[in-house]
Amino acid sequence: MTSSAAPETIHVLAGQRPDGELVYEQVLAQSIGDDCYRLCTSLLFAKGAAKDDVIRLLPAGRFEVEQHGGNLCVRVVARDNLDVIQARLQANLAKLEASCDYANERSLVYSIPVAQGFEPIEKAFNEALVGQTEHAMWLYANVYDPMDGQTPLNWWHDFLAK
């Protein structure tokens, strides 16, 4: 399932407004055929997938992960001081081979190889948010079932066993 196609913008379902209107997120992905795409970045709003995952687009922008690429998607959201948080994260995330896929005044999205381990990743984010917890939080976007937000997906066991 590899291709040398140039990345293109696709639309994935990110959620639903209170009035029922669907909300879509644009993401860069590489078509690999048969309605499947390899994500070039992790997602800001949609849950359940990360950079390098192969997803199959379904009707109405829904998607399912066909193959995990081995990255965790970690999001940081903050009302203010995001630049301070990002600076605190920089050294630890460099050691964890993380890439910042998205940054704006209130959010950061990182892709981090799951092989780095949950403990050092969680430690880096917890330390960066010391003193910021009233105004900021971090969360995994592809570790728990997108429907209930609690059930672990457990896809990483194959990557950690290698």
PDB file of all heavy atoms in Angstrom, residues 32-54:
ATOM      1  N   ILE A  32      -3.486   6.322  -1.724  1.00  0.00           N
ATOM      2  CA  ILE A  32      -2.824   5.057  -2.049  1.00  0.00           C
ATOM      3  C   ILE A  32      -3.798   4.118  -2.759  1.00  0.00           C
ATOM      4  O   ILE A  32      -3.524   2.945  -2.922  1.00  0.00           O
ATOM      5  CB  ILE A  32      -2.183   4.404  -0.808  1.00  0.00           C
ATOM      6  CG1 ILE A  32      -3.199   4.153   0.283  1.00  0.00           C
ATOM      7  CG2 ILE A  32      -1.060   5.268  -0.288  1.00  0.00           C
ATOM      8  CD1 ILE A  32      -2.631   3.369   1.450  1.00  0.00           C
ATOM      9  N   GLY A  33      -4.952   4.668  -3.161  1.00  0.00           N
ATOM     10  CA  GLY A  33      -5.926   3.913  -3.939  1.00  0.00           C
ATOM     11  C   GLY A  33      -7.027   3.306  -3.097  1.00  0.00           C
ATOM     12  O   GLY A  33      -6.915   3.182  -1.876  1.00  0.00           O
ATOM     13  N   ASP A  34      -8.125   2.951  -3.774  1.00  0.00           N
ATOM     14  CA  ASP A  34      -9.260   2.271  -3.148  1.00  0.00           C
ATOM     15  C   ASP A  34      -9.838   3.067  -1.966  1.00  0.00           C
ATOM     16  O   ASP A  34     -10.145   2.506  -0.921  1.00  0.00           O
ATOM     17  CB  ASP A  34      -8.839   0.860  -2.705  1.00  0.00           C
ATOM     18  CG  ASP A  34     -10.025  -0.059  -2.452  1.00  0.00           C
ATOM     19  OD1 ASP A  34     -11.099   0.165  -3.046  1.00  0.00           O
ATOM     20  OD2 ASP A  34      -9.876  -1.003  -1.646  1.00  0.00           O
ATOM     21  N   ASP A  35      -9.946   4.404  -2.147  1.00  0.00           N
ATOM     22  CA  ASP A  35     -10.462   5.308  -1.108  1.00  0.00           C
ATOM     23  C   ASP A  35      -9.599   5.303   0.156  1.00  0.00           C
ATOM     24  O   ASP A  35     -10.074   5.668   1.239  1.00  0.00           O
ATOM     25  CB  ASP A  35     -11.914   4.991  -0.747  1.00  0.00           C
ATOM     26  CG  ASP A  35     -12.881   5.310  -1.868  1.00  0.00           C
ATOM     27  OD1 ASP A  35     -12.622   6.282  -2.611  1.00  0.00           O
ATOM     28  OD2 ASP A  35     -13.895   4.602  -1.999  1.00  0.00           O
ATOM     29  N   CYS A  36      -8.340   4.891   0.046  1.00  0.00           N
ATOM     30  CA  CYS A  36      -7.434   4.876   1.194  1.00  0.00           C
ATOM     31  C   CYS A  36      -6.391   5.982   1.046  1.00  0.00           C
ATOM     32  O   CYS A  36      -5.935   6.283  -0.054  1.00  0.00           O
ATOM     33  CB  CYS A  36      -6.732   3.527   1.320  1.00  0.00           C
ATOM     34  SG  CYS A  36      -7.827   2.204   1.861  1.00  0.00           S
ATOM     35  N   TYR A  37      -6.024   6.557   2.202  1.00  0.00           N
ATOM     36  CA  TYR A  37      -5.078   7.662   2.250  1.00  0.00           C
ATOM     37  C   TYR A  37      -4.143   7.486   3.435  1.00  0.00           C
ATOM     38  O   TYR A  37      -4.566   7.075   4.500  1.00  0.00           O
ATOM     39  CB  TYR A  37      -5.819   8.997   2.413  1.00  0.00           C
ATOM     40  CG  TYR A  37      -6.685   9.348   1.242  1.00  0.00           C
ATOM     41  CD1 TYR A  37      -7.971   8.831   1.133  1.00  0.00           C
ATOM     42  CD2 TYR A  37      -6.219  10.177   0.232  1.00  0.00           C
ATOM     43  CE1 TYR A  37      -8.774   9.135   0.053  1.00  0.00           C
ATOM     44  CE2 TYR A  37      -7.014  10.495  -0.857  1.00  0.00           C
ATOM     45  CZ  TYR A  37      -8.283   9.968  -0.938  1.00  0.00           C
ATOM     46  OH  TYR A  37      -9.080  10.272  -2.018  1.00  0.00           O
ATOM     47  N   ARG A  38      -2.874   7.843   3.222  1.00  0.00           N
ATOM     48  CA  ARG A  38      -1.902   7.879   4.313  1.00  0.00           C
ATOM     49  C   ARG A  38      -1.845   9.325   4.798  1.00  0.00           C
ATOM     50  O   ARG A  38      -1.561  10.238   4.029  1.00  0.00           O
ATOM     51  CB  ARG A  38      -0.523   7.418   3.848  1.00  0.00           C
ATOM     52  CG  ARG A  38       0.511   7.381   4.982  1.00  0.00           C
ATOM     53  CD  ARG A  38       1.851   6.807   4.539  1.00  0.00           C
ATOM     54  NE  ARG A  38       1.731   5.576   3.798  1.00  0.00           N
ATOM     55  CZ  ARG A  38       1.525   4.353   4.335  1.00  0.00           C
ATOM     56  NH1 ARG A  38       1.429   4.220   5.632  1.00  0.00           N
ATOM     57  NH2 ARG A  38       1.432   3.276   3.571  1.00  0.00           N
ATOM     58  N   LEU A  39      -2.119   9.526   6.083  1.00  0.00           N
ATOM     59  CA  LEU A  39      -2.137  10.871   6.652  1.00  0.00           C
ATOM     60  C   LEU A  39      -0.729  11.452   6.720  1.00  0.00           C
ATOM     61  O   LEU A  39       0.194  10.797   7.209  1.00  0.00           O
ATOM     62  CB  LEU A  39      -2.760  10.861   8.040  1.00  0.00           C
ATOM     63  CG  LEU A  39      -4.231  10.426   8.114  1.00  0.00           C
ATOM     64  CD1 LEU A  39      -4.686  10.352   9.569  1.00  0.00           C
ATOM     65  CD2 LEU A  39      -5.110  11.371   7.311  1.00  0.00           C
ATOM     66  N   CYS A  40      -0.570  12.677   6.259  1.00  0.00           N
ATOM     67  CA  CYS A  40       0.732  13.358   6.289  1.00  0.00           C
ATOM     68  C   CYS A  40       0.961  14.076   7.616  1.00  0.00           C
ATOM     69  O   CYS A  40       2.103  14.422   7.940  1.00  0.00           O
ATOM     70  CB  CYS A  40       0.816  14.363   5.147  1.00  0.00           C
ATOM     71  SG  CYS A  40       0.745  13.598   3.515  1.00  0.00           S
ATOM     72  N   THR A  41      -0.119  14.325   8.343  1.00  0.00           N
ATOM     73  CA  THR A  41      -0.045  14.960   9.659  1.00  0.00           C
ATOM     74  C   THR A  41      -1.096  14.325  10.559  1.00  0.00           C
ATOM     75  O   THR A  41      -2.023  13.673  10.083  1.00  0.00           O
ATOM     76  CB  THR A  41      -0.323  16.480   9.594  1.00  0.00           C
ATOM     77  OG1 THR A  41      -1.658  16.675   9.124  1.00  0.00           O
ATOM     78  CG2 THR A  41       0.657  17.198   8.698  1.00  0.00           C
ATOM     79  N   SER A  42      -0.943  14.551  11.842  1.00  0.00           N
ATOM     80  CA  SER A  42      -1.997  14.151  12.774  1.00  0.00           C
ATOM     81  C   SER A  42      -3.137  15.166  12.683  1.00  0.00           C
ATOM     82  O   SER A  42      -2.965  16.272  12.182  1.00  0.00           O
ATOM     83  CB  SER A  42      -1.455  14.070  14.201  1.00  0.00           C
ATOM     84  OG  SER A  42      -0.658  12.912  14.350  1.00  0.00           O
ATOM     85  N   LEU A  43      -4.277  14.765  13.200  1.00  0.00           N
ATOM     86  CA  LEU A  43      -5.491  15.562  13.077  1.00  0.00           C
ATOM     87  C   LEU A  43      -5.677  16.503  14.266  1.00  0.00           C
ATOM     88  O   LEU A  43      -5.385  16.134  15.404  1.00  0.00           O
ATOM     89  CB  LEU A  43      -6.697  14.631  12.964  1.00  0.00           C
ATOM     90  CG  LEU A  43      -6.608  13.604  11.815  1.00  0.00           C
ATOM     91  CD1 LEU A  43      -7.653  12.530  11.982  1.00  0.00           C
ATOM     92  CD2 LEU A  43      -6.755  14.306  10.486  1.00  0.00           C
ATOM     93  N   LEU A  44      -6.200  17.685  13.997  1.00  0.00           N
ATOM     94  CA  LEU A  44      -6.451  18.658  15.057  1.00  0.00           C
ATOM     95  C   LEU A  44      -7.754  18.370  15.794  1.00  0.00           C
ATOM     96  O   LEU A  44      -7.812  18.439  17.008  1.00  0.00           O
ATOM     97  CB  LEU A  44      -6.483  20.078  14.475  1.00  0.00           C
ATOM     98  CG  LEU A  44      -6.867  21.201  15.437  1.00  0.00           C
ATOM     99  CD1 LEU A  44      -5.901  21.297  16.613  1.00  0.00           C
ATOM    100  CD2 LEU A  44      -6.949  22.523  14.693  1.00  0.00           C
ATOM    101  N   PHE A  45      -8.811  18.037  15.068  1.00  0.00           N
ATOM    102  CA  PHE A  45     -10.125  17.853  15.693  1.00  0.00           C
ATOM    103  C   PHE A  45     -10.650  16.421  15.638  1.00  0.00           C
ATOM    104  O   PHE A  45     -11.197  15.933  16.614  1.00  0.00           O
ATOM    105  CB  PHE A  45     -11.164  18.778  15.044  1.00  0.00           C
ATOM    106  CG  PHE A  45     -10.843  20.231  15.208  1.00  0.00           C
ATOM    107  CD1 PHE A  45     -10.461  21.000  14.122  1.00  0.00           C
ATOM    108  CD2 PHE A  45     -10.905  20.834  16.453  1.00  0.00           C
ATOM    109  CE1 PHE A  45     -10.163  22.343  14.269  1.00  0.00           C
ATOM    110  CE2 PHE A  45     -10.608  22.181  16.612  1.00  0.00           C
ATOM    111  CZ  PHE A  45     -10.239  22.933  15.508  1.00  0.00           C
ATOM    112  N   ALA A  46     -10.525  15.771  14.504  1.00  0.00           N
ATOM    113  CA  ALA A  46     -11.039  14.412  14.359  1.00  0.00           C
ATOM    114  C   ALA A  46     -10.229  13.470  15.247  1.00  0.00           C
ATOM    115  O   ALA A  46      -9.028  13.652  15.435  1.00  0.00           O
ATOM    116  CB  ALA A  46     -10.970  13.964  12.904  1.00  0.00           C
ATOM    117  N   LYS A  47     -10.894  12.482  15.790  1.00  0.00           N
ATOM    118  CA  LYS A  47     -10.236  11.555  16.720  1.00  0.00           C
ATOM    119  C   LYS A  47     -10.034  10.191  16.072  1.00  0.00           C
ATOM    120  O   LYS A  47     -10.764   9.802  15.185  1.00  0.00           O
ATOM    121  CB  LYS A  47     -11.084  11.380  17.976  1.00  0.00           C
ATOM    122  CG  LYS A  47     -11.252  12.636  18.773  1.00  0.00           C
ATOM    123  CD  LYS A  47     -12.164  12.406  19.951  1.00  0.00           C
ATOM    124  CE  LYS A  47     -12.393  13.684  20.720  1.00  0.00           C
ATOM    125  NZ  LYS A  47     -13.403  13.526  21.753  1.00  0.00           N
ATOM    126  N   GLY A  48      -9.038   9.464  16.583  1.00  0.00           N
ATOM    127  CA  GLY A  48      -8.852   8.080  16.210  1.00  0.00           C
ATOM    128  C   GLY A  48      -7.727   7.779  15.252  1.00  0.00           C
ATOM    129  O   GLY A  48      -7.443   6.618  14.992  1.00  0.00           O
ATOM    130  N   ALA A  49      -7.067   8.798  14.708  1.00  0.00           N
ATOM    131  CA  ALA A  49      -5.997   8.553  13.740  1.00  0.00           C
ATOM    132  C   ALA A  49      -4.854   9.530  13.969  1.00  0.00           C
ATOM    133  O   ALA A  49      -5.027  10.566  14.614  1.00  0.00           O
ATOM    134  CB  ALA A  49      -6.526   8.683  12.314  1.00  0.00           C
ATOM    135  N   ALA A  50      -3.686   9.193  13.421  1.00  0.00           N
ATOM    136  CA  ALA A  50      -2.491  10.028  13.566  1.00  0.00           C
ATOM    137  C   ALA A  50      -1.673   9.980  12.280  1.00  0.00           C
ATOM    138  O   ALA A  50      -1.937   9.180  11.377  1.00  0.00           O
ATOM    139  CB  ALA A  50      -1.649   9.539  14.744  1.00  0.00           C
ATOM    140  N   LYS A  51      -0.665  10.810  12.246  1.00  0.00           N
ATOM    141  CA  LYS A  51       0.272  10.866  11.123  1.00  0.00           C
ATOM    142  C   LYS A  51       0.749   9.464  10.758  1.00  0.00           C
ATOM    143  O   LYS A  51       1.044   8.649  11.635  1.00  0.00           O
ATOM    144  CB  LYS A  51       1.465  11.741  11.515  1.00  0.00           C
ATOM    145  CG  LYS A  51       2.521  11.902  10.462  1.00  0.00           C
ATOM    146  CD  LYS A  51       3.626  12.792  11.005  1.00  0.00           C
ATOM    147  CE  LYS A  51       4.708  13.066  10.000  1.00  0.00           C
ATOM    148  NZ  LYS A  51       5.714  13.980  10.557  1.00  0.00           N
ATOM    149  N   ASP A  52       0.813   9.186   9.472  1.00  0.00           N
ATOM    150  CA  ASP A  52       1.275   7.928   8.875  1.00  0.00           C
ATOM    151  C   ASP A  52       0.246   6.799   8.938  1.00  0.00           C
ATOM    152  O   ASP A  52       0.485   5.728   8.383  1.00  0.00           O
ATOM    153  CB  ASP A  52       2.606   7.443   9.464  1.00  0.00           C
ATOM    154  CG  ASP A  52       3.761   8.367   9.114  1.00  0.00           C
ATOM    155  OD1 ASP A  52       3.712   8.997   8.038  1.00  0.00           O
ATOM    156  OD2 ASP A  52       4.708   8.457   9.909  1.00  0.00           O
ATOM    157  N   ASP A  53      -0.910   7.009   9.587  1.00  0.00           N
ATOM    158  CA  ASP A  53      -1.967   6.001   9.554  1.00  0.00           C
ATOM    159  C   ASP A  53      -2.574   5.978   8.155  1.00  0.00           C
ATOM    160  O   ASP A  53      -2.655   7.004   7.472  1.00  0.00           O
ATOM    161  CB  ASP A  53      -3.101   6.324  10.535  1.00  0.00           C
ATOM    162  CG  ASP A  53      -2.734   6.035  11.975  1.00  0.00           C
ATOM    163  OD1 ASP A  53      -1.633   5.512  12.242  1.00  0.00           O
ATOM    164  OD2 ASP A  53      -3.569   6.343  12.850  1.00  0.00           O
ATOM    165  N   VAL A  54      -3.005   4.804   7.736  1.00  0.00           N
ATOM    166  CA  VAL A  54      -3.756   4.666   6.489  1.00  0.00           C
ATOM    167  C   VAL A  54      -5.226   4.599   6.876  1.00  0.00           C
ATOM    168  O   VAL A  54      -5.626   3.746   7.672  1.00  0.00           O
ATOM    169  CB  VAL A  54      -3.345   3.398   5.711  1.00  0.00           C
ATOM    170  CG1 VAL A  54      -4.255   3.192   4.502  1.00  0.00           C
ATOM    171  CG2 VAL A  54      -1.884   3.493   5.275  1.00  0.00           C
TER     172      VAL A  54
END
